[in-house]
Amino acid sequence: MIEGRIAHSDIPLTKDEFVSGSMVKWCPGCGDYSILNCLTQAMARTGYRKEDILLVSGIGCSSRIPYYVNTYGFHSIHGRAAAIASGAKSANPDLSVWMATGDGDCAAIGGNHFIHILRRNVDVNIILFNNHIYGLTKGQYSPTTPMGTVTKTSPFGTIEQPFNPAELALGAGATFFARVPDNNPKLMTDCMEAAAAHDGTSVVEVLQNCMIFANKAHYEITARETRDDRQLILEDGQPMLFGKDKQKGLRLNGLQLEVVEIGKDGVRPEDILIHDAGHEDPIMHMMLSRMALPDLPVAMGIIRSVKQDTYDDLLEAQINEQKSVSKIRCMDDLLNSGDVFYIS
Amino acid sequence: MSTKLPKINLDQVVVKFAGDSGDGMQLTGTLFSEISAKDGNDLSTFPDYPAEIRAPHNTVSGVSGFQVHIGSKRILTSGDHCDVLVAMNPASLKANLKWAKMGATLLVDADTFVEEAINKAGYTQNPLGDGSLSSYSVIDAPITSLTRAAVLELGLDIKTAEKSRNMFALGVLLNLFNKDLQVAAQQVEYKFRKKPQIGEANKKVLEAGWIYVENLELISSTFHVGKASMEPGNYRNITGNIATAWGLAAAAEKAGLQLFLGSYPITPATDILTELASLKSLGIKTFQAEDEIAGICSAIGASLTGSLAATSTSGPGLALKSEAIGLAVMTELPLVVVDVQRAGPSTGMPTKSEQGDLLQALYGRNGESPVVVMAASSPVDCFYTAFEACRIALEHMTPVILLSDGYIGNGSQLMKIPRMADLPAIHPPFAQPNDPSYKPYQRDLDTLVRKWAVPGTEGLRHRLGSLEKTDAGAASTDPENHQRMVKLRAQKVQKVAGRIPELKIEGDPNGDLLLISWGGTCGAVRAAAERLHKKGISTGHVHFHHIMPVPRNTAEVLGRFKHRMVCELNSGQFAGYLRMLFPGLTYEQYNEVTGQPFIVENLVNSITKIYEKL
């Protein structure tokens, strides 16, 4: 993005100023409340004027969020938020464009738009509420529901392999991907802030709990008592360590990642892999994003953040280039260009 | 110029060029049109090509055609049957002879009438030798060998050399019609300016074709089509799709907005996307979307954020866009949806024309979802209708569906070049920054139009969306609010009738028979009305540019005639619509769904038969 393209507020803004005041209608205890808190906090931290922020959403519980955020907002139709946000940002790069979506909205009905916004690298910040279930339609399995899960539409367990959103996004060429649990507001806010700062499409996947239809779907990963051993919180340039006293870490064994303990079997601190979020080749990011319990911890934080030209910048650049070289400057020029003849 | 042969003056002539796909018939037809235009003829063209890019060689299904109608009088259609048919191989002759008038001149490449090609075309014997063409005037020139001979000195390989066969045919035709060879040579040179060597070969073959007529006493006379009396000024030949693209661009410039087109390639609408993609110097943004839905959704995103937004498609794409059009209806955002109709249902006949999407445009959405529907009537009219569609979309904050069709989209006409200063101004209803009384759905009391508060505008932050809303923009399921909003959205669209021109009757202002048309059939129905009038039936013709809403005086105009006949290239969609709107009247209908434009002669004969029974 061209530096200074989006106007900054003259005065520092607080999180509270980004709350719209509309009555929030999510179920009590829903993970979405945490996302709303972190999102408004992250928006305040960007320093952009509230007027210059646009929050676009699709359909579902997640997609009600624009009504609760005191910026410009657009609650659209099922699955299409990525296409609408792409048009909004391409047409008007002076806006900071955000998008809220869920696992059904983004990975099922909107799957096509999701992979193509990533491929194009349009500068949009996507918050993906992943709760493994269709909540607003009352409990049908989604494309991220684990195999075998019993839901209303899979009374005998699902027989579909789920998508891992990170894998899907990286496969589509994502330049920024972060994963956060809904009960770590600091990490979530930091990742959202980094997503806003990233030029290009950024995805923050929130492992969000739906109390009603998929309660504790992420519990094995997110439970406070065990999370230190089950989550690896990535920090760019730092060794990939986890566990209560950070004694466990990741090492490559052939083409596989493995968990090792420092001091055990002669493992030294320098044997632990260093996280390089900016590495252009996504193979390690893909391996990190695939890590799953019980053998490996689940990767949290910014998995990938690489620089690549954005669609919106390249589009503007082409227009500016053509404006400087073309003889066609206005419609009268165009109408009178080429094969024109006079009839008397 | 040919001086040896006597000239016969004609006021109009129809020429059809037909060959294998890849024989360059579209280029030949275009060149013939442009050269005729420079000679002062009015014209209308109609490319008729198969969906396949290169169908099997020498088969009837691979025949590509281009029809040109030139005249010294006002040309309303691309013509019925042709006076001259150029057939570059047996299959072209087989496929097109039925479109040639009895006694027409046939120019054929005799070299291609070999056994294999004759059989492949479906002939049992050589039509050039069996007397079956005796009622035509046949010029069976060995075009392939003469083409090769003409470029021999250039040292081209045979394949490249033979690619300019079409220029030989063009040369013959230009001499036959007394056109200026110099103008033609310049035109060819211009077309091939990026490949000068190929251009040189084409010019040589063009001259060879020209000389062929001079030297051989093939024909007893040549023809001359005089200058048409047209308003003096600068002109250009333009297809409907290019005119549509330019109309959108002109509206953006006039409104002081950026044009954004979100679109997905689809026959026969793709030219609108490709044209606008090339106009970046005008600040136009095009977004080639991943699908039809993303095409319109990206446009809605652009409209939301302050651009003049449009999407272009054909019938199958319009079907995919339905839900998103509803979103634009609900959020009351300006949006132009161009549907270049083709024969359906489903994939149908992608390169053939039809008016089958009218009801889809009017009603093809969930819920009560009114939009403005307009239809362009000719290639040049595409420019003005696209401009007007944008003006209405912007000033009335509504989606507008603009119906074009494959016939006028790909067909061309001479356009008198307009001056931007002469086009009407466009004033989008932008909300004032920091207006303390701003509400997203507060409406102008007269037009019922809401204000456009573009993100970035200070002090007007609000949330729009697909849910039903109150005036203040809050989501609501209140029964009375919904009833009121449904009514307001419908009334807002109806209010557009207050600004659009009244219907004008051409021909007899009242009397026995009123011919009714909409969209791309205007020229054919107008011509039919003129002929019926000459036959002694008091006939008027009324053409609808505006379909939703219809012009204010529609009921009065329809009531002036004893009988009404709705002529459409579908099974009677507009006739049914009129019956619903104005049930007190009876409507006759004449319909064709052949994928082809109306043949004026068929129209006249069929209408006469129906009329006589009334």
Side-chain angles (χ1 to χ4, degrees):
Chain A
M1 184 180 64
I2 299 147
E3 194 55 40
R5 176 108 216 193
I6 305 172
H8 278 74
S9 169
D10 299 334
I11 45 160
L13 298 170
T14 65
K15 170 187 164 302
D16 291 348
E17 290 175 84
F18 281 88
V19 175
S20 78
S22 291
M23 196 210 291
V24 182
K25 294 180 183 170
W26 288 315
C27 308
C30 178
D32 291 359
Y33 286 95
S34 165
I35 299 176
L36 177 59
N37 269 320
C38 296
L39 180 63
T40 46
Q41 180 74 52
M43 283 178 170
R45 282 199 209 160
T46 63
Y48 296 142
R49 296 189 326 146
K50 285 176 286 187
E51 282 77 10
D52 291 329
I53 296 179
L54 172 66
L55 174 55
V56 180
S57 67
I59 288 291
C61 294
S62 64
S63 296
R64 295 296 177 100
I65 200 168
Y67 294 117
Y68 312 138
V69 177
N70 188 16
T71 61
Y72 281 94
F74 197 71
H75 172 221
S76 73
I77 46 178
H78 207 12
R80 316 302 170 204
I84 293 168
S86 295
K89 182 66 188 181
S90 307
N92 192 341
D94 297 343
L95 297 170
S96 168
V97 179
W98 297 68
M99 173 185 144
T101 183
D103 39 310
D105 191 58
C106 159
I109 191 167
N112 198 26
H113 312 308
F114 181 62
I115 58 175
H116 286 280
I117 192 174
L118 291 165
R119 176 178 68 82
R120 293 191 185 99
N121 202 31
V122 186
D123 191 8
V124 171
N125 316 314
I126 301 175
I127 314 299
L128 165 55
F129 299 40
N130 183 3
N131 58 13
H132 290 185
I133 200 82
Y134 284 89
L136 207 53
T137 49
K138 299 187 171 47
Q140 300 76 32
Y141 68 88
S142 88
T144 61
T145 306
M147 182 80 151
T149 307
V150 171
T151 71
K152 291 216 181 119
T153 45
S154 56
F156 312 109
T158 64
I159 51 172
E160 297 181 20
Q161 289 295 340
F163 272 140
N164 171 347
E167 245 184 301
L168 183 63
L170 295 178
T175 56
F176 183 105
F177 192 94
R179 185 194 284 141
V180 295
D182 64 0
N183 60 355
N184 186 343
K186 183 182 177 310
L187 181 65
M188 198 194 310
T189 311
D190 288 349
C191 285
M192 286 176 174
E193 190 185 358
H198 174 75
D199 281 346
T201 315
S202 39
V203 182
V204 179
E205 178 197 11
V206 184
L207 304 186
Q208 174 245 329
N209 191 44
C210 169
M211 296 279 289
I212 309 297
F213 298 109
N215 196 20
K216 301 198 170 177
H218 306 294
Y219 187 73
E220 284 190 5
I221 304 168
T222 59
R224 285 180 195 279
E225 315 77 66
T226 50
R227 67 180 176 185
D228 290 339
D229 286 322
R230 293 180 178 177
Q231 294 179 19
L232 169 65
I233 298 178
L234 298 165
E235 282 181 72
D236 194 28
Q238 297 298 317
M240 292 188 263
L241 294 166
F242 66 106
K244 215 167 196 104
D245 39 15
K246 299 273 179 200
Q247 283 302 299
K248 289 194 264 188
L250 290 184
R251 191 172 71 173
L252 258 185
N253 180 2
L255 289 174
Q256 303 293 322
L257 289 171
E258 66 174 2
V259 173
V260 290
E261 254 188 272
I262 293 172
K264 229 182 187 180
D265 302 326
V267 174
R268 299 161 304 168
E270 54 267 37
D271 294 332
I272 306 300
L273 287 169
I274 306 287
H275 181 43
D276 182 3
H279 200 283
E280 204 174 329
D281 189 329
I283 286 185
M284 179 56 73
H285 303 147
M286 191 67 101
M287 289 166 78
L288 290 172
S289 72
R290 287 174 60 96
M291 292 198 303
L293 300 174
D295 297 335
L296 292 164
V298 175
M300 297 290 175
I302 298 166
I303 294 172
R304 179 174 173 80
S305 176
V306 296
K307 281 194 191 333
Q308 195 184 89
D309 288 335
T310 70
Y311 179 89
D312 32 302
D313 281 350
L314 291 172
L315 180 59
E316 290 274 301
Q318 275 193 348
I319 285 177
N320 291 334
E321 164 73 11
Q322 286 306 306
K323 278 184 175 173
S324 70
V325 299
S326 171
K327 285 178 194 150
I328 309 290
R329 300 289 177 88
C330 63
M331 275 310 294
D332 279 324
D333 290 347
L334 178 65
L335 286 159
N336 290 286
S337 66
D339 202 4
V340 170
F341 42 91
Y342 186 78
I343 294 179
S344 51
Chain B
M1 288 272 172
S2 170
T3 47
K4 298 175 189 166
L5 299 165
K7 270 196 251 179
I8 298 171
N9 281 313
L10 299 171
D11 66 353
Q12 57 170 325
V13 148
V14 178
V15 179
K16 183 155 195 186
F17 297 88
D20 233 10
S21 315
D23 270 350
M25 291 299 99
Q26 306 300 320
L27 174 66
T28 316
T30 304
L31 282 167
F32 184 79
S33 314
E34 288 169 356
I35 294 155
S36 300
K38 291 190 174 174
D39 196 29
N41 302 141
D42 193 11
L43 64 86
S44 175
T45 73
F46 172 47
D48 183 15
Y49 55 91
E52 296 79 14
I53 302 303
R54 296 278 188 280
H57 184 51
N58 276 336
T59 59
V60 168
S61 63
V63 173
S64 170
F66 191 101
Q67 186 157 308
V68 192
H69 188 186
I70 59 172
S72 60
K73 59 174 201 174
R74 186 75 214 286
I75 296 301
L76 294 172
T77 71
S78 59
D80 286 4
H81 293 82
C82 59
D83 301 279
V84 179
L85 172 65
V86 176
M88 298 302 283
N89 66 359
S92 315
L93 184 67
K94 179 86 180 173
N96 285 287
L97 192 62
K98 60 177 178 288
W99 297 111
K101 282 180 189 163
M102 208 46 99
T105 300
L106 310 180
L107 171 62
V108 298
D109 181 356
D111 288 335
T112 63
F113 283 71
V114 293
E115 198 179 343
E116 194 199 341
I118 289 166
N119 293 340
K120 236 172 157 180
Y123 285 114
T124 48
Q125 48 190 341
N126 189 343
L128 301 183
D130 66 1
S132 62
L133 302 176
S134 58
S135 31
Y136 302 92
S137 160
V138 181
I139 308 175
D140 51 348
I143 293 179
T144 306
S145 39
L146 291 173
T147 297
R148 273 192 226 155
V151 294
L152 195 62
E153 61 189 78
L154 296 178
L156 299 171
D157 61 278
I158 288 184
K159 219 171 166 188
T160 311
E162 285 186 3
K163 272 196 174 160
S164 42
R165 286 163 68 229
N166 56 340
M167 289 301 131
F168 193 95
L170 181 63
V172 171
L173 274 253
L174 292 174
N175 195 334
L176 214 52
F177 286 101
N178 283 282
K179 300 296 181 195
D180 191 327
L181 182 62
Q182 273 331 101
V183 172
Q186 280 165 13
Q187 205 71 15
V188 169
E189 207 173 284
Y190 180 75
K191 285 279 169 198
F192 291 97
R193 62 195 180 282
K194 286 176 187 157
K195 296 177 191 163
Q197 202 199 358
I198 305 288
E200 195 51 37
N202 276 278
K203 263 168 47 181
K204 282 216 176 306
V205 177
L206 179 80
E207 280 163 27
W210 174 279
I211 293 163
Y212 182 75
V213 179
E214 300 267 298
N215 291 350
L216 296 176
E217 290 178 0
L218 287 165
I219 42 176
S220 53
S221 59
T222 63
F223 307 102
H224 178 251
V225 179
K227 285 186 194 309
S229 77
M230 288 192 278
E231 214 183 313
N234 280 328
Y235 281 78
R236 64 183 311 133
N237 187 29
I238 194 164
T239 68
N241 280 340
I242 302 299
T244 300
W246 289 14
L248 300 174
E253 182 174 306
K254 208 71 190 184
L257 297 175
Q258 167 184 280
L259 175 63
F260 182 99
L261 180 83
S263 183
Y264 187 76
I266 184 170
T267 302
T270 315
D271 290 348
I272 298 170
L273 171 61
T274 50
E275 175 63 13
L276 289 174
S278 74
L279 298 179
K280 291 216 163 45
S281 69
L282 297 179
I284 293 167
K285 287 180 177 169
T286 53
F287 182 84
Q288 185 179 318
E290 54 272 23
D291 58 28
E292 293 282 358
I293 298 172
I296 185 169
C297 285
S298 61
I300 288 173
S303 170
L304 172 72
T305 56
S307 293
L308 166 55
T311 184
S312 51
T313 190
S314 187
L318 186 65
L320 286 165
K321 293 178 197 296
S322 301
E323 187 194 15
I325 296 172
L327 175 64
V329 168
M330 195 56 139
T331 50
E332 302 192 36
L333 285 167
L335 178 72
V336 175
V337 180
V338 181
D339 173 10
V340 186
Q341 299 168 95
R342 66 191 214 187
S346 194
T347 306
M349 302 193 286
T351 59
K352 307 298 174 195
S353 199
E354 201 164 278
Q355 295 182 306
D357 294 346
L358 180 72
L359 293 182
Q360 183 182 208
L362 282 166
Y363 304 118
R365 288 167 295 284
N366 63 306
E368 301 273 330
S369 186
V371 299
V372 173
V373 179
M374 302 171 64
S377 62
S378 70
V380 170
D381 187 57
C382 284
F383 176 82
Y384 294 98
T385 309
F387 184 91
E388 190 60 14
C390 295
R391 193 157 80 108
I392 290 173
L394 288 169
E395 295 189 349
H396 291 259
M397 296 291 285
T398 177
V400 176
I401 297 180
L402 164 55
L403 295 172
S404 172
D405 62 51
Y407 173 58
I408 60 172
N410 286 317
S412 75
Q413 252 184 334
L414 295 186
M415 171 160 92
K416 181 163 188 287
I417 295 172
R419 285 172 0 121
M420 284 300 290
D422 296 336
L423 295 174
I426 299 177
H427 301 291
F430 288 117
Q432 288 304 310
N434 295 312
D435 176 355
S437 65
Y438 173 78
K439 289 179 190 162
Y441 289 99
Q442 196 164 40
R443 295 164 195 282
D444 179 278
L445 291 176
D446 178 33
T447 60
L448 302 179
V449 174
R450 76 177 193 93
K451 290 252 189 285
W452 196 8
V454 173
T457 313
E458 207 171 286
L460 302 183
R461 291 182 310 280
H462 64 279
R463 272 61 62 190
L464 290 176
S466 52
L467 292 173
E468 182 66 282
K469 300 284 193 302
T470 64
D471 288 353
S476 166
T477 54
D478 177 65
E480 279 161 23
N481 179 67
H482 180 54
Q483 175 126 10
R484 186 172 144 266
M485 284 302 216
V486 165
K487 200 169 156 192
L488 282 169
R489 284 188 287 264
Q491 283 175 341
K492 183 184 81 168
V493 167
Q494 287 300 333
K495 292 262 183 189
V496 172
R499 69 175 295 164
I500 62 179
E502 296 201 325
L503 288 174
K504 269 198 294 200
I505 301 177
E506 298 285 333
D508 294 324
N510 49 47
D512 291 332
L513 182 61
L514 178 65
L515 298 191
I516 298 167
S517 61
W518 68 274
T521 53
C522 182
V525 178
R526 172 96 12 116
E530 284 171 10
R531 285 197 215 167
L532 287 164
H533 174 84
K534 277 185 198 154
K535 282 174 78 171
I537 303 171
S538 103
T539 312
H541 171 222
V542 68
H543 184 81
F544 285 78
H545 279 95
H546 287 273
I547 292 168
M548 174 61 118
V550 291
R552 299 179 295 282
N553 62 338
T554 302
E556 185 267 319
V557 164
L558 297 180
R560 278 198 225 165
F561 288 77
K562 203 167 154 195
H563 301 289
R564 283 147 295 279
M565 175 94 62
V566 188
C567 307
E568 298 176 80
L569 295 173
N570 59 35
S571 301
Q573 298 187 15
F574 192 57
Y577 179 65
L578 288 177
R579 285 184 191 112
M580 185 184 78
L581 291 185
F582 307 104
L585 299 166
T586 55
Y587 303 85
E588 308 303 324
Q589 55 189 75
Y590 179 71
N591 303 100
E592 280 183 23
V593 274
T594 60
Q596 295 293 326
F598 277 134
I599 302 293
V600 178
E601 197 182 327
N602 292 357
L603 262 179
V604 172
N605 293 341
S606 306
I607 292 169
T608 308
K609 269 186 210 152
I610 300 170
Y611 177 76
E612 280 166 355
K613 286 186 191 154
L614 290 174

